[in-house]
Amino acid sequence: MTKTLSISSSSYRLHHYYTKPTSRLTSVSLKIRALSSPSSSSSTTSMATKVGPAVIVGGGRVGRALQDMGSGDDLLVKRGEAVPLDFEGPILVCTRNDDLDAVLDSTPKSRWNADLVFFQNGMMEPWFESKGLGDAGQVLAYFAVSKLGEPPIDGKTDTNPEGLTAAYGKWASAVAARLQAGGLSCKVLEKADFQKQMLEKLIWISAFMLVGARHPGATVGAVEKEFRSEVSSLISELASAAAAEKSITFEDAMEDRLCAYSRAVAHFPTAVKEFKWRNGWFYALSKKAIAAGKPDPCPLHTAWLKELNVVQD
């Protein structure tokens, strides 16, 4: 008579057969049979991260682009409309700099430091200080939206292929998630690192716009390619003044980074605009130094502003 002992594991079934001896030799056979698991077809579904809702102030190119990156439950606030008190989430401010006072007037004061996130270019610190916005969030938007409704173009460069856009503050991670959902890069920085990058972008926009304005019709790309020596001298001058004023040390190769970004957005036109928020900060440093009997820290910058009649004094 034959008996069978069956032992199962996750991979194999072991059958140990033995027979009643018919001679002095005991016949033992051991057979291992691979057990194949049932075939199953499974498809991997990538779950898109849901972007949290936000109030978006400003229905221009950037505001609409941010709304398109959302999950459909954002609130778009247009000019003259009020920001609600009870809509949870960040308040993404995408207006012109000169409209910021009106934005504050339409926003409950309890939400100013808690939820406001500013996407504006330029030197914002003096305005923040005047409004008591020491904890306000900020985004350095190194991306471009050419026309209303068009997808944004990320400003990745050959020196920073990981992208340059950065966010700071309470809602920085939420902003980064939204931008990444829209196919853009965004890193989250602490305040000291963010300030350095903010100043670099201020130097970029102040230098390239001013040099371009000296050569009517020049784009950002033309400034980088045809007037490199001029913009190089101005970058060096403005960087030195900013570092001294803020007691910081910039990372090496700033000129290379800023010129690389200019190649990425070579089609941008140039003009000296929003003076108070851009070149005006450097001109204020010059006036302060001269009033104290010290040399102008930005003599080239001052001379070119006067050449273009941007300033007269």
Side-chain angles (χ1 to χ4, degrees):
M1 183 175 71
T2 303
K3 295 182 180 180
T4 303
L5 176 66
S6 178
I7 303 174
S8 297
S9 71
S10 60
S11 306
Y12 298 98
R13 181 171 294 143
L14 178 66
H15 291 278
H16 186 183
Y17 294 97
Y18 68 96
T19 59
K20 187 175 181 178
T22 55
S23 65
R24 292 183 179 180
L25 295 177
T26 302
S27 173
V28 178
S29 67
L30 182 68
K31 180 169 70 174
I32 299 176
R33 184 173 64 202
L35 177 66
S36 61
S37 59
S39 61
S40 61
S41 60
S42 61
S43 60
T44 303
T45 304
S46 59
M47 299 296 291
T49 302
K50 180 177 172 63
V51 176
V55 175
I56 300 173
V57 183
R61 290 173 296 173
V62 173
R64 293 287 187 178
L66 291 174
Q67 186 180 29
D68 289 342
M69 298 173 198
S71 301
D73 47 8
D74 298 320
L75 175 65
L76 183 66
V77 174
K78 299 179 182 178
R79 185 184 297 273
E81 296 178 345
V83 174
L85 176 64
D86 56 354
F87 192 102
E88 294 185 2
I91 303 169
L92 310 181
V93 183
C94 309
T95 64
R96 292 172 56 87
N97 294 52
D98 290 338
D99 293 330
L100 290 176
D101 284 339
V103 171
L104 287 190
D105 290 341
S106 65
T107 303
K109 196 163 186 177
S110 61
R111 303 198 67 184
W112 284 13
N113 273 299
D115 298 320
L116 287 171
V117 181
F118 295 91
F119 277 73
Q120 286 69 26
N121 279 315
M123 170 53 75
M124 303 285 290
E125 289 179 359
W127 185 79
F128 284 158
E129 291 168 3
S130 72
K131 303 297 181 181
L133 291 170
D135 295 326
Q138 267 190 281
V139 176
L140 293 177
Y142 278 92
F143 58 83
V145 184
S146 298
K147 294 180 181 178
L148 188 67
E150 289 192 357
I153 301 169
D154 205 340
K156 293 182 178 180
T157 70
D158 47 27
T159 58
N160 293 92
E162 76 283 2
L164 290 163
T165 295
Y168 158 76
K170 170 185 173 181
W171 293 104
S173 295
V175 170
R178 177 178 291 264
L179 294 178
Q180 289 159 6
L184 300 176
S185 61
C186 183
K187 51 194 172 186
V188 175
L189 299 178
E190 295 299 324
K191 191 165 188 175
D193 290 331
F194 185 89
Q195 185 188 51
K196 283 186 184 181
Q197 292 213 9
M198 178 275 294
L199 287 168
E200 278 203 21
K201 193 173 188 196
L202 178 66
I203 291 165
W204 175 81
I205 203 165
S206 298
F208 275 84
M209 295 298 124
L210 181 54
V211 171
R214 298 186 72 232
H215 304 280
T219 62
V220 165
V223 171
E224 189 273 333
K225 186 176 181 180
E226 300 173 27
F227 308 108
R228 178 69 177 258
S229 62
E230 290 182 28
V231 80
S232 175
S233 297
L234 192 53
I235 288 171
S236 177
E237 181 178 280
L238 299 183
S240 178
E245 176 67 15
K246 293 296 185 180
S247 300
I248 61 173
T249 301
F250 288 109
E251 304 300 324
D252 293 336
M254 180 193 294
E255 180 187 335
D256 291 340
R257 289 192 295 277
L258 300 187
C259 285
Y261 179 60
S262 297
R263 292 192 294 273
V265 292
H267 63 288
F268 275 21
T270 59
V272 178
K273 299 189 296 184
E274 297 190 322
F275 180 77
K276 168 186 173 182
W277 306 92
R278 301 179 183 182
N279 298 75
W281 186 73
F282 293 103
Y283 186 58
L285 297 183
S286 295
K287 291 179 68 177
K288 182 174 71 171
I290 293 169
K294 299 177 181 179
D296 185 347
C298 309
L300 194 59
H301 179 255
T302 300
W304 287 350
L305 288 176
K306 291 181 176 180
E307 173 189 298
L308 295 171
N309 292 317
V310 177
V311 297
Q312 284 79 38
D313 56 346

